[in-house]
Amino acid sequence: MKWFIITLVVASLIGSVMWVMPSPRQRYQANLRLKARQLGIQVHMARVSLPRALGEMEPDVRTIPAYRIARTNLERSERDSWSGWEVLRVDTLENLGLPEHWSWSKGQGGLQPAALEQLNSLLEQLPDDVLGVESTPLSLTFYWDERGDESRLDYLHQLAQPLLEQKI
């Protein structure tokens, strides 16, 4: 009986240790977010309200990692007059000028034709696990589901550079 109790206590301790260990997915996310920090990208969990999709009664709300790349090339006057925008991967009626399956959440009609062309080029190159892109005077943000490997993060960082440089 004494050995049974000792075995039970040891099994309980091992189970507790295994329970607090991070899962493979959590280890992957931690490594990915560390790599993002090394690239100068801030990662936050953001609550994103998708516009009401075609045929849906209620809009969808998701909590998703937001990969924010800071804008460092804007002057104060540019920041003050900045017209932000946000596009999300959802089919709605608010899709003027965007590729198929993308819709405006904020800023429809606010971009010049050349800037809109640059944005469309970016949207067509984005992987399927990117839910949206947002531009504010402080950052360019990718709402990304964190699928793929670290090379996907490098790819997103590379895709963002033209928009950051051209102040779109």
Side-chain angles (χ1 to χ4, degrees):
M1 182 65 168
K2 181 169 40 170
W3 287 107
F4 176 73
I5 293 173
I6 291 173
T7 304
L8 186 63
V9 168
V10 169
S12 174
L13 290 174
I14 291 173
S16 297
V17 169
M18 295 302 290
W19 185 62
V20 297
M21 296 289 291
S23 69
R25 173 79 176 152
Q26 290 169 329
R27 282 193 293 268
Y28 160 76
Q29 287 175 326
N31 289 335
L32 191 65
R33 293 172 185 177
L34 179 63
K35 167 84 173 172
R37 195 172 321 135
Q38 292 168 350
L39 290 172
I41 301 172
Q42 298 176 357
V43 182
H44 304 281
M45 294 304 289
R47 189 172 170 94
V48 177
S49 294
L50 298 170
R52 188 173 58 84
L54 293 175
E56 297 291 325
M57 296 295 288
E58 296 288 327
D60 192 14
V61 177
R62 294 187 191 174
T63 301
I64 190 164
Y67 281 71
R68 300 187 194 283
I69 303 169
R71 291 189 182 275
T72 57
N73 61 343
L74 292 181
E75 298 194 18
R76 185 178 184 104
S77 62
E78 291 173 310
R79 286 183 195 268
D80 292 341
S81 64
W82 188 265
S83 178
W85 51 265
E86 181 179 56
V87 294
L88 298 168
R89 192 182 298 265
V90 62
D91 288 320
T92 71
L93 297 176
E94 303 292 326
N95 58 3
L96 184 65
L98 295 177
E100 189 176 6
H101 306 299
W102 288 93
S103 296
W104 294 101
S105 177
K106 293 186 268 188
Q108 180 174 356
L111 293 178
Q112 298 296 324
L116 183 59
E117 186 178 319
Q118 187 73 28
L119 172 61
N120 285 339
S121 174
L122 169 86
L123 295 177
E124 290 169 355
Q125 297 176 60
L126 286 176
D128 290 339
D129 57 348
V130 174
L131 176 69
V133 182
E134 180 185 29
S135 178
T136 68
L138 300 176
S139 65
L140 181 69
T141 303
F142 289 107
Y143 298 112
W144 180 37
D145 225 3
E146 297 179 321
R147 294 199 173 91
D149 56 10
E150 288 183 5
S151 64
R152 178 79 52 97
L153 178 62
D154 292 328
Y155 179 66
L156 291 175
H157 188 258
Q158 176 187 358
L159 284 177
Q161 296 314 305
L163 267 68
L164 292 169
E165 290 168 6
Q166 294 176 18
K167 302 176 183 179
I168 297 173

